[in-house]
C-alpha cells in the first residue's frame, strides 16, 4: 500500500462556506434571486390514470394578478426524460411538459403564472377539468404484461436499448451471469430462497425543489436552480422546450440537500416554459407536499435472493432477481436496478463459483421514482446481507466469521462487478476494526434486560462505486490570480457534501499553498468546464483527479513564465509554492511577480482546464454493527450503538467524511424503522407531509461512532475513493439482523415498524 504524508489532504479543514451558513447569509436559490418574479403553481391530477376530456381556464384567467394558465394544448409535443444522465440517456423519453394523459396522482394538468402566490392559488381552484378516469396499475408485481398500459402512446422513445417495451409496461430488462448457476446450486448443502421488499423512501431534503428563470441581457434563458446537474439540466430543457442549448444558461447556488433527488430535473421546465411564453422572470418553489407526492423518491423493489452454500459456511453461488417499480415515468429506472446486483454480489467474491443477476423494471401509475443515495445498491445489499445473516444463524456460525471466509479481498477479480480488480480493498480490516471497536464478542449474545426488554446486535457490510465507469467526466479549471492565489472553477455541485472544500484542499496540496488561497466557483454552464454533475459518488474521485491533472500542468506553466523572467530554460527551475527557484543560481521570483508578468507581454497562459474520466469505478467498502434494545410489549426498537468502519481509500477530509457517514447512517436507520410510503386504493400517497412521513431525529440515532481503514486507490486522486453513498447501505440489514436476534423473527420488508414487530411475535413471548 502506497502511503505518504500530505500537508493538506487528509486534514480536517473547515468547510469553505461554513461561516456563511452559520451566520445565515444569503446562499440558496430563494436568497439570491429577485423577488419580483412571476409565481408559478401547478394544478395536479387527483387521479392515478385518466385522460383530460376538457379543461376550462377562462374563469381562472380572470383572477386579478393571473398572467396566464397553460394546458396540454399549449406545450411542445416532443417527449423527453428528466433524469440527469449522460447523453444518450438510458432512461426513455416518455414525458411531455403537460400531457393530456395523466399517469399518477400528482401529475401535471395545468401551469399557472401569476403576480402573487395568492392569485395563483385562487386561479388553481377555479380551473374546471373533466376527466375520463381509467383503471390504474398500482401493484408493481402485476404490472409486467398487464393489459393496462401506462404508456400506450406511439412516440415513446428509448435513446438506449436497455430491454424496455412500453407495450409490456417494461422500462428495462436484462440477465447476466457467470458460471453454471443451476449446477452449482444443485450441488450445495444448503440453499436459501428468500424475497425482500423495500419501499419508495423520500429524500426529505430540507430545501424543497425550486427554480428561478429569466431572460438575460442577450435574450437567453437563464436558469438558477437547486440542482446537482447543471449541464444535464441544460440539455433536458433544450429538448423539452425545443430551443438550442446555446440559448440556455444553468447555474446553481448553494443546495439545501439533494441526496440524489436533484439529479432529476423535477421542476425546472415549468418556470422555464413560463419565462419563454411571457418574457418575464418566473419562480417555482415546491411545497413540502409536492416534494413528497411529485418528487423523485427511491425505487420500490422486490428482490429474490437464492443463495447456495456448503455446510461449513462457504457461499458458492448467488442468484438475484430484482423487480423495480419506476412509477409513472422511467427516469433512472434502467440504471438504479443494476446496482441492486452489481453492488451486492461482488461482496462475496471470495469463494463464489457462479452468479446470476436478472431484473425487470416496470411502469405503474404511482409517483415516478428517481435517484437516491445508494441508487439501488441499498436495496440489493439489504436483501443479500439479510440472507447471509440467516445463513450464519442456521449454521450456528458467527456472522462476522462467515463474512471473513467469503468476502472480497484486495487483489481479487470481481466477475459480478464487470470484471474489475479490487486494487484497494480493506474490507477485511474494516471487519476486524469494527469487531474490536464495537465489542462484538460481548454484544452479539442476546441479553434479557427484564421488563420485556431485550438487547441484541446485528452486522452488515457494503460496497458502492466511485463513479460510472466509461461514462462520467469531471473537469476543473485552475488559474493563477494576480496576487499569487488561485481560482478553482468546477461544474460539480456542492450540496452539503463539502466538495468545494475537498477540491480546494487538493489544489492547496498540489500548489503548496493554503486552502484559504483557493477561491472556488461552481457550477455554471456558461463558466464552468463540463462536468457530468454531482452524483454516483464521483466528485472526489473523478473531478478530484481532474483537479490534480490541472495543477500538474499549471505548475509547468508557472515555471515556464518564471524561467522567461530569469532568462533560463524551464528545466532549470523548480516550483516551491510561493516562489520559483533557479536551481544553479538560487535566484527566485515570487508567485505574485509571476502573476503580474503573466499579464504583461506574455504568451504563456497561467490557467489550465483538465478533464478526467475513468475506465474503472473502485468500490469503497464498509462494515456496520448495531446494538438495539427491543421492547417486546410494544415492538419499539431503540438504537443504542451504531459502529461503522469505512474504507474510502485515503479520506481527503476526515471530518467531512465522518459527517457524511453519520448522515447516511441516520437515513438508513430512518428507512429501516420508521419512514414509510403507502398509497390508498386510488393510488393517492398517504404520507404527504412530515406529520405522516416520520423521519429520525437526534434522539433516534443512538451513539454513532465512525472510523476509517485506509487503502490506497492507485487510480484516485491522492489514493482516494468515494464516501457519499456507501454509508447508507448497512443499517437496514444490520438492524433487521438484530431484530431477529431479539425476537426470532426475520422481517423481509422495510420499514420494520413497532406494529409489525409486535404483531409478528409468538403469543407466548
Amino acid at each position: 500500500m502506497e502511503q505518504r504524508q500530505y500537508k493538506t489532504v487528509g486534514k480536517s479543514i473547515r468547510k469553505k462556506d461554513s461561516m456563511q451558513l452559520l451566520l445565515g447569509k444569503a446562499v440558496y436559490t430563494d436568497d439570491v434571486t429577485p423577488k419580483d418574479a412571476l409565481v408559478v403553481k401547478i394544478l395536479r391530477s387527483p387521479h392515478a390514470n385518466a385522460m383530460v376530456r376538457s379543461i376550462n381556464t377562462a374563469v381562472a384567467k380572470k383572477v386579478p394578478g393571473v398572467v396566464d394558465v397553460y394546458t396540454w394544448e399549449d406545450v411542445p409535443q416532443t417527449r423527453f426524460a428528466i433524469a440527469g444522465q449522460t447523453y444518450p440517456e438510458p432512461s426513455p423519453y416518455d414525458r411531455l411538459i403537460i400531457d393530456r394523459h395523466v399517469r399518477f396522482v400528482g401529475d401535471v394538468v395545468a401551469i399557472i403564472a401569476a403576480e402573487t402566490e395568492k392569485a395563483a392559488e385562487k386561479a388553481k381552484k377555479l380551473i374546471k377539468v373533466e376527466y375520463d378516469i381509467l383503471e390504474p396499475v398500482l401493484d408493481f408485481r402485476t404490472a409486467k404484461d398487464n393489459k393496462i398500459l401506462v404508456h400506450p402512446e406511439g412516440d415513446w422513445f428509448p435513446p438506449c436499448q436497455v430491454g424496455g417495451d412500453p407495450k409490456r409496461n417494461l422500462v428495462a430488462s436484462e440477465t447476466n451471469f457467470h458460471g453454471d448457476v443451476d449446477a452449482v446450486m444443485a450441488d450445495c448443502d444448503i440453499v436459501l430462497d428468500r424475497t425482500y421488499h423495500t419501499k419508495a423512501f423520500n429524500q426529505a431534503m430540507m430545501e424543497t425543489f425550486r427554480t428561478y428563470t429569466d431572460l438575460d441581457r442577450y435574450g437567453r434563458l437563464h436558469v438558477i436552480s437547486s440542482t446537482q446537474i447543471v449541464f444535464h439540466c441544460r440539455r433536458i430543457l433544450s429538448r423539452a422546450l425545443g430551443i438550442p442549448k446555446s440559448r440556455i444558461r444553468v447555474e446553481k447556488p448553494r443546495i439545501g440537500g439533494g441526496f440524489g433527488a436533484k439529479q432529476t430535473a423535477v421542476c425546472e421546465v415549468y418556470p422555464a416554459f413560463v419565462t419563454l411564453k411571457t418574457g418575464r422572470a418566473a419562480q417555482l418553489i415546491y411545497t413540502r407536499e409536492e416534494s413528497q407526492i411529485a418528487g423523485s423518491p427511491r425505487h420500490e423493489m422486490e428482490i429474490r435472493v437464492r443463495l447456495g452454500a456448503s455446510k461449513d459456511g462457504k457461499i458458492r453461488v448467488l442468484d438475484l432477481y430484482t423487480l423495480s417499480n419506476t412509477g409513472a415515468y422511467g427516469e433512472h429506472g434502467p440504471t438504479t436496478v443494476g446496482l441492486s446486483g452489481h453492488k451486492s454480489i461482488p461482496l462475496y467474491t471470495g469463494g463464489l463459483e457462479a452468479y446470476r443477476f436478472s431484473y425487470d423494471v416496470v411502469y405503474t401509475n404511482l409517483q415516478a421514482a428517481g435517484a437516491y443515495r445508494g441508487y439501488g445498491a441499498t436495496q440489493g445489499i439489504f436483501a443479500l446481507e439479510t440472507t447471509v445473516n440467516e445463513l450464519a444463524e442456521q449454521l450456528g456460525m458467527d456472522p462476522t466469521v462467515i463474512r471473513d471466509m467469503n468476502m472480497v479481498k484486495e487483489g481479487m477479480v470481481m466477475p459480478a462487478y464487470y470484471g474489475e480488480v479490487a486494487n484497494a480493498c480493506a474490507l477485511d480490516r474494516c471487519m476486524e476494526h469494527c469487531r474490536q471497536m464495537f465489542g462484538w464478542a460481548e454484544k452479539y449474545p442476546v441479553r434479557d434486560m427484564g421488563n420485556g426488554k431485550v438487547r441484541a446486535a446485528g452486522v452488515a457490510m457494503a460496497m458502492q462505486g466511485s463513479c460510472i465507469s466509461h461514462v462520467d467526466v469531471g473537469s476543473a479549471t485552475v488559474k493563477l490570480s494576480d496576487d499569487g492565489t488561485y481560482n478553482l472553477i468546477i461544474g460539480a455541485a456542492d450540496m452539503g457534501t463539502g466538495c468545494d472544500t475537498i477540491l480546494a484542499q487538493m489544489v492547496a496540496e498540489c500548489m503548496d499553498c493554503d486552502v484559504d488561497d483557493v477561491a472556488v466557483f461552481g457550477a455554471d454552464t456558461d463558466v464552468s468546464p463540463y462536468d457530468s454533475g454531482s452524483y454516483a459518488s464521483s466528485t472526489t474521485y473523478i473531478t478530484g483527479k481532474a483537479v490534480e491533472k490541472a495543477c500538474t500542468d499549471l505548475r509547468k506553466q508557472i515555471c515556464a513564465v518564471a524561467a522567461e523572467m530569469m532568462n533560463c530554460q524551464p528545466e532549470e527551475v523548480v516550483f516551491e509554492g510561493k516562489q520559483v527557484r533557479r536551481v544553479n543560481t538560487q535566484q527566485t521570483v515570487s508567485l505574485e511577480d509571476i502573476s503580474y508578468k503573466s499579464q504583461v507581454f506574455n504568451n504563456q497562459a497561467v490557467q489550465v482546464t483538465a478533464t478526467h474520466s475513468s475506465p474503472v469505478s473502485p468500490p469503497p467498502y464498509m462494515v456496520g454493527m448495531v446494538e438495539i434494545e427491543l421492547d417486546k410489549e410494544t415492538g419499539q426498537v431503540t438504537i443504542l450503538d451504531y459502529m461503522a468502519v469505512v474504507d474510502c481509500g485515503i479520506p481527503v477530509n476526515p471530518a467531512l467524511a465522518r459527517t457524511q457517514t453519520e448522515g447516511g447512517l441516520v437515513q438508513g436507520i430512518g428507512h429501516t424503522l420508521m419512514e414509510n410510503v403507502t398509497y390508498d386504493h386510488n393510488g393517492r400517497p398517504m404520507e404527504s407531509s412530515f406529520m405522516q412521513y416520520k423521519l429520525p431525529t437526534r434522539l433516534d440515532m443512538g451513539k454513532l461512532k465512525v472510523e476509517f481503514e485506509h487503502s490506497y486507490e492507485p487510480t484516485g486522486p491522492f489514493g482516494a475513493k468515494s464516501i457519499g453513498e456507501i454509508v447508507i447501505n448497512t443499517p437496514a440489514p444490520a438492524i433487521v439482523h438484530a431484530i431477529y436476534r431479539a425476537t426470532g423473527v426475520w422481517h423481509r420488508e422495510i420499514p420494520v415498524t413497532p406494529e409489525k414487530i409486535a404483531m409478528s411475535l409468538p403469543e407466548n413471548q
Side-chain angles (χ1 to χ4, degrees), residues 122 137 141 478 515 573 618 637 719:
K122 184 175 181 181
V137 182
R141 297 173 186 88
V478 185
V515 175
V573 304
V637 172

Side-chain angles (χ1 to χ4, degrees), residues 37-271:
L38 293 175
V39 174
V40 179
K41 291 291 180 180
I42 294 174
L43 176 67
R44 300 185 180 278
S45 168
H47 306 296
N49 193 15
M51 293 294 291
V52 175
R53 183 192 311 154
S54 67
I55 182 165
N56 188 333
T57 61
V59 177
K61 286 182 179 182
K62 291 178 182 176
V63 172
V66 170
V67 174
D68 213 339
V69 179
Y70 306 100
T71 71
W72 63 273
E73 294 177 297
D74 302 310
V75 300
Q77 295 300 301
T78 302
R79 294 203 178 269
F80 61 97
I82 61 172
Q85 298 174 313
T86 299
Y87 179 84
E89 304 95 324
S91 300
Y93 293 162
D94 56 8
R95 281 184 178 265
L96 296 175
I97 298 173
I98 309 174
D99 201 328
R100 188 176 188 178
H101 185 175
V102 289
R103 294 174 171 84
F104 71 98
V105 175
D107 210 348
V108 180
V109 176
I111 303 170
I112 302 104
E115 302 288 354
T116 65
E117 185 169 0
K118 185 176 180 180
E121 290 290 357
K122 184 175 181 181
K124 188 160 71 168
K125 294 173 184 173
L126 294 173
I127 298 171
K128 302 299 181 187
V129 188
E130 291 185 348
Y131 297 94
D132 290 322
I133 300 171
L134 306 172
E135 185 181 349
V137 182
L138 300 179
D139 184 351
F140 75 125
R141 297 173 186 88
T142 66
K144 182 179 174 182
D145 294 321
N146 197 301
K147 69 179 191 305
I148 302 164
L149 297 182
V150 179
H151 283 274
E153 66 272 12
D155 56 350
W156 183 95
F157 175 70
C160 295
Q161 293 300 328
V162 291
D165 182 353
K167 299 296 184 276
R168 303 181 64 200
N169 282 336
L170 273 180
V171 177
S173 182
E174 187 180 299
T175 298
N176 59 75
F177 62 92
H178 175 79
D180 191 333
V181 170
D182 297 326
V184 179
M185 196 77 75
D187 190 49
C188 287
D189 299 324
I190 183 169
V191 174
L192 297 181
D193 188 338
R194 303 290 184 262
T195 300
Y196 301 85
H197 180 213
T198 64
K199 296 290 191 71
F201 303 112
N202 264 289
Q203 294 88 346
M205 58 278 169
M206 289 177 69
E207 183 195 33
T208 61
F209 301 100
R210 56 197 58 204
T211 299
Y212 167 91
T213 57
D214 64 10
L215 297 178
D216 70 11
R217 58 189 176 276
Y218 302 111
R220 299 164 73 225
L221 178 65
H222 179 207
V223 179
I224 300 175
S225 185
S226 183
T227 180
Q228 300 169 221
I229 45 155
V230 291
F231 286 97
H232 294 333
C233 186
R234 181 178 64 175
R235 187 184 67 251
I236 291 164
L237 289 173
S238 171
R239 180 175 175 86
L241 298 169
I243 61 175
K245 290 192 282 289
S246 60
R247 284 191 55 207
I248 305 172
R249 174 191 178 190
V250 181
E251 62 173 312
K252 70 95 199 164
R254 185 66 159 70
I255 302 173
F259 310 116
K262 293 169 184 174
Q263 192 196 335
T264 302
V266 170
C267 71
E268 285 84 348
V269 71
Y270 308 113

Side-chain angles (χ1 to χ4, degrees), residues 581-595:
R581 178 172 55 86
R582 186 175 180 181
V583 177
N584 56 355
T585 67
Q586 303 305 309
Q587 181 186 1
T588 63
V589 288
S590 72
L591 203 58
E592 193 168 356
D593 286 341
I594 294 168
S595 67

